[in-house]
Amino acid sequence: MKYYSTNHTAPLAFLHEAVVRGLAPDRGLYMPERIRKLPAEFFDHIDSMSFQEIAYHVADAFFGEDIPADRLKQIVYDTLSFPCPVKPVEDRIFSLELFHGPTLAFKDVGARFMARMLQYFIHEEGTKEVNVLVATSGDTGSAVANGFLGVDGIRVFVLYPKGKVSAIQESQFTTLGQNITAIEVDGVFDDCQALVKQAFLDDDLCHHMKLTSANSINVARFLPQAFYYFHAYAQLKRMGMADNFVVCVPSGNFGNITAAIFARQMGLPIKRFIAANNANDVVCQYLQTGNYAPRPSVQTIANAMDVGDPSNFARISDLFHADWQQIRSLMSGAAYTDEQIRHTMRHCYEANHYVLDPHGACAYQALKDLLADDEVGVFGETAHPAKFKETVESAINAEIDIPERLAAFMKGKKQSVSMSKKFSDFKQLLMAE
Ligand SMILES: *Cc1c(COP(=O)(O)O)cnc(C)c1O
């Protein structure tokens, strides 16, 4: 299968080119040329299949032409070695818990899948050593670093803003060593992002080393996120609750919800979507007015969604030929202030004894506000609440446990390189590799 760019001026790319490049040469995002519908018999039997079996069928529809079946199966099975259970929270509202992976955030699925696919291309296609650059405000860095840890032929550079990342998050990517280099930048997240972007545009660097990105612009990171929506449907079907299935996703760069839209295009019976935002509500505004007006992000307590110009909006727009009416007939939006998020966490804990993290809280509240009486809603619970321990504890006025896995990271020794926010310093560091 070939991949085209959402800007429509770059040549079609093979899968391995799209994955190694990340962004298309015309700065657009890669899209698969075709989205295959899965056969009716797959959906008839989906409730008797395991998560890994379901995911393999979905992966085969996208990557089956480019990766041999046994290898693809191995990539899928290695990636999904943890569950994504659907849990009832209250009447007709279910939580899809996506935080049971190594770094306790849904990004583990895409990051692990991408790492294993890149590894396959490096071995089989003779791609030379690849350097993954990732700017993070917390969750992306840890998922990517852990996904790529110890993978031969791949080096990872995680850039993060000094003093702006929680201690738990920092420990998840600064204690790893091996092929992971953590770079503590004397600046803010936007400075880290700017350094990464500038590196991709620097001819000397691109000549010196193969650079790629591992955020949700990468097809290998974003498409696998479709897997767990099929699995969620299978679980609802088993409970006899799969009619009028509504999916609500806490959204920042909109990669996760775009993957859910792809699942629907493949035939998964999702009735409609709700995008939940924090105060960074550019897409919610677009859904209301038809005008897409990106603006600088503001800091919130759901900080993984502090995005002012969501990159995957380009994919949604492309999929529906920029038809606002069509997009808003399929997707609605809801946005919440920090105050509302705190209130929601507290309410849900008191009413249902369910602890939400600040991101999942936006999505839970959006379902409460927008779900119709005949619908069943599933919201993505995208991070374990312990990753935002202080915020959550002060909102619900109770203590929460730190999972063993998270505590183990915190015992590790911090190793990171301090750097200014000057591009010349970053370039020098990379050129020395
Ligand atoms: C990254 C992230 C999101 C936003 O996901 P997108 O795919 O960027 O929309 C939501 N919640 C958490 C916890 C995240 O880490």
Short mmCIF file of all heavy atoms in Angstrom, two decimals, residues 105-107 139-140 216 225 250-257 304-305 357 359 382-383 388, ligand 1:
data_model
loop_
_atom_site.label_atom_id
_atom_site.label_comp_id
_atom_site.label_asym_id
_atom_site.label_seq_id
_atom_site.Cartn_x
_atom_site.Cartn_y
_atom_site.Cartn_z
N ALA A 105 0.33 4.99 30.07
CA ALA A 105 -0.41 5.93 29.23
C ALA A 105 -0.72 5.26 27.90
O ALA A 105 0.00 4.36 27.46
CB ALA A 105 0.40 7.20 29.00
N PHE A 106 -1.80 5.71 27.24
CA PHE A 106 -2.21 5.04 26.01
C PHE A 106 -1.14 5.12 24.93
O PHE A 106 -1.10 4.32 24.01
CB PHE A 106 -3.53 5.64 25.49
CG PHE A 106 -3.35 6.89 24.67
CD1 PHE A 106 -3.28 6.83 23.29
CD2 PHE A 106 -3.22 8.13 25.27
CE1 PHE A 106 -3.11 7.97 22.51
CE2 PHE A 106 -3.04 9.28 24.51
CZ PHE A 106 -2.98 9.20 23.13
N LYS A 107 -0.23 6.09 25.03
CA LYS A 107 0.79 6.26 24.00
C LYS A 107 1.73 5.05 23.92
O LYS A 107 2.44 4.89 22.93
CB LYS A 107 1.60 7.53 24.24
CG LYS A 107 0.77 8.79 24.03
CD LYS A 107 1.62 10.04 24.08
CE LYS A 107 0.84 11.28 23.71
NZ LYS A 107 -0.08 11.73 24.79
N ASP A 139 4.20 12.95 28.78
CA ASP A 139 3.80 11.59 28.44
C ASP A 139 4.43 11.01 27.18
O ASP A 139 4.75 9.83 27.13
CB ASP A 139 2.27 11.52 28.30
CG ASP A 139 1.60 11.09 29.60
OD1 ASP A 139 2.33 10.82 30.57
OD2 ASP A 139 0.36 11.01 29.62
N THR A 140 4.60 11.82 26.14
CA THR A 140 5.14 11.29 24.89
C THR A 140 6.55 10.77 25.10
O THR A 140 6.90 9.68 24.64
CB THR A 140 5.15 12.38 23.80
OG1 THR A 140 3.85 12.93 23.72
CG2 THR A 140 5.54 11.81 22.47
N SER A 216 2.44 11.64 16.99
CA SER A 216 1.34 10.99 16.28
C SER A 216 1.24 11.40 14.81
O SER A 216 0.35 10.95 14.11
CB SER A 216 0.01 11.23 17.00
OG SER A 216 -0.21 12.61 17.18
N GLN A 225 -3.48 2.82 17.08
CA GLN A 225 -4.43 3.26 18.10
C GLN A 225 -5.86 2.87 17.73
O GLN A 225 -6.76 2.95 18.57
CB GLN A 225 -4.29 4.77 18.31
CG GLN A 225 -2.91 5.11 18.88
CD GLN A 225 -2.61 6.59 18.92
OE1 GLN A 225 -3.38 7.41 18.44
NE2 GLN A 225 -1.48 6.93 19.49
N PRO A 250 -10.42 12.08 24.95
CA PRO A 250 -9.77 13.32 25.39
C PRO A 250 -8.65 13.64 24.39
O PRO A 250 -7.75 12.83 24.18
CB PRO A 250 -9.21 12.96 26.77
CG PRO A 250 -9.08 11.48 26.79
CD PRO A 250 -10.09 10.93 25.82
N SER A 251 -8.73 14.82 23.77
CA SER A 251 -7.89 15.06 22.60
C SER A 251 -6.96 16.25 22.73
O SER A 251 -7.34 17.30 23.25
CB SER A 251 -8.79 15.23 21.37
OG SER A 251 -9.50 14.03 21.12
N GLY A 252 -5.73 16.05 22.22
CA GLY A 252 -4.73 17.10 22.21
C GLY A 252 -4.27 17.33 20.77
O GLY A 252 -4.67 18.28 20.11
N ASN A 253 -3.46 16.40 20.27
CA ASN A 253 -3.06 16.45 18.87
C ASN A 253 -4.04 15.71 17.96
O ASN A 253 -3.82 15.60 16.76
CB ASN A 253 -1.65 15.86 18.70
CG ASN A 253 -0.63 16.96 18.50
OD1 ASN A 253 -0.93 17.96 17.84
ND2 ASN A 253 0.56 16.79 19.04
N PHE A 254 -5.08 15.12 18.52
CA PHE A 254 -6.15 14.45 17.79
C PHE A 254 -5.72 13.18 17.05
O PHE A 254 -6.40 12.73 16.13
CB PHE A 254 -6.89 15.43 16.85
CG PHE A 254 -7.89 16.28 17.59
CD1 PHE A 254 -7.47 17.26 18.49
CD2 PHE A 254 -9.27 16.08 17.42
CE1 PHE A 254 -8.40 18.02 19.21
CE2 PHE A 254 -10.20 16.83 18.14
CZ PHE A 254 -9.76 17.80 19.03
N GLY A 255 -4.60 12.59 17.45
CA GLY A 255 -4.18 11.33 16.83
C GLY A 255 -5.06 10.18 17.27
O GLY A 255 -5.50 9.36 16.44
N ASN A 256 -5.36 10.12 18.55
CA ASN A 256 -6.14 9.03 19.10
C ASN A 256 -7.55 9.01 18.51
O ASN A 256 -8.04 7.97 18.06
CB ASN A 256 -6.17 9.20 20.63
CG ASN A 256 -6.51 7.93 21.36
OD1 ASN A 256 -6.68 6.87 20.76
ND2 ASN A 256 -6.62 8.04 22.67
N ILE A 257 -8.20 10.15 18.44
CA ILE A 257 -9.57 10.18 17.90
C ILE A 257 -9.56 9.94 16.39
O ILE A 257 -10.48 9.32 15.85
CB ILE A 257 -10.32 11.49 18.29
CG1 ILE A 257 -11.83 11.28 18.15
CG2 ILE A 257 -9.86 12.68 17.48
CD1 ILE A 257 -12.68 12.38 18.78
N ALA A 304 -1.25 17.05 28.78
CA ALA A 304 -0.95 16.33 27.54
C ALA A 304 -1.90 16.76 26.41
O ALA A 304 -1.73 16.37 25.26
CB ALA A 304 -1.04 14.82 27.75
N MET A 305 -2.89 17.57 26.76
CA MET A 305 -3.81 18.09 25.74
C MET A 305 -3.63 19.59 25.54
O MET A 305 -4.48 20.24 24.95
CB MET A 305 -5.26 17.80 26.13
CG MET A 305 -5.47 16.33 26.37
SD MET A 305 -7.10 15.72 26.80
CE MET A 305 -8.06 17.09 27.27
N ASP A 357 -8.23 10.42 35.76
CA ASP A 357 -7.11 11.35 35.66
C ASP A 357 -7.68 12.61 34.98
O ASP A 357 -8.81 12.59 34.49
CB ASP A 357 -5.96 10.72 34.85
CG ASP A 357 -6.03 11.09 33.40
OD1 ASP A 357 -6.99 10.64 32.73
OD2 ASP A 357 -5.18 11.85 32.92
N HIS A 359 -7.25 14.02 32.17
CA HIS A 359 -7.58 13.90 30.74
C HIS A 359 -8.86 13.10 30.57
O HIS A 359 -9.81 13.52 29.90
CB HIS A 359 -6.42 13.24 30.00
CG HIS A 359 -5.12 13.96 30.21
ND1 HIS A 359 -4.38 13.78 31.35
CD2 HIS A 359 -4.47 14.87 29.46
CE1 HIS A 359 -3.31 14.55 31.29
NE2 HIS A 359 -3.34 15.23 30.16
N THR A 382 -6.98 7.81 29.36
CA THR A 382 -5.71 7.75 28.63
C THR A 382 -4.46 7.66 29.49
O THR A 382 -3.39 7.34 28.99
CB THR A 382 -5.59 8.97 27.70
OG1 THR A 382 -5.99 10.14 28.44
CG2 THR A 382 -6.48 8.83 26.48
N ALA A 383 -4.57 7.98 30.77
CA ALA A 383 -3.40 7.87 31.65
C ALA A 383 -3.83 7.37 33.02
O ALA A 383 -4.96 7.63 33.46
CB ALA A 383 -2.71 9.22 31.80
N PHE A 388 -0.64 11.77 37.73
CA PHE A 388 -0.98 13.16 38.08
C PHE A 388 -1.41 13.20 39.54
O PHE A 388 -2.44 13.78 39.89
CB PHE A 388 -2.07 13.68 37.12
CG PHE A 388 -1.67 13.55 35.68
CD1 PHE A 388 -1.97 12.40 34.96
CD2 PHE A 388 -0.93 14.55 35.06
CE1 PHE A 388 -1.56 12.26 33.64
CE2 PHE A 388 -0.51 14.42 33.75
CZ PHE A 388 -0.83 13.27 33.04
C1 LIG B 1 -1.24 12.46 24.49
C2 LIG B 1 -2.34 12.40 25.46
C3 LIG B 1 -3.66 12.79 25.10
C4 LIG B 1 -3.99 13.39 23.76
O1 LIG B 1 -3.92 12.43 22.72
P1 LIG B 1 -3.91 12.93 21.19
O2 LIG B 1 -3.76 11.69 20.40
O3 LIG B 1 -2.72 13.84 21.08
O4 LIG B 1 -5.18 13.64 20.96
C5 LIG B 1 -4.66 12.63 26.05
N1 LIG B 1 -4.40 12.14 27.29
C6 LIG B 1 -3.15 11.76 27.66
C7 LIG B 1 -2.95 11.25 29.03
C8 LIG B 1 -2.09 11.87 26.77
O5 LIG B 1 -0.86 11.51 27.15
#
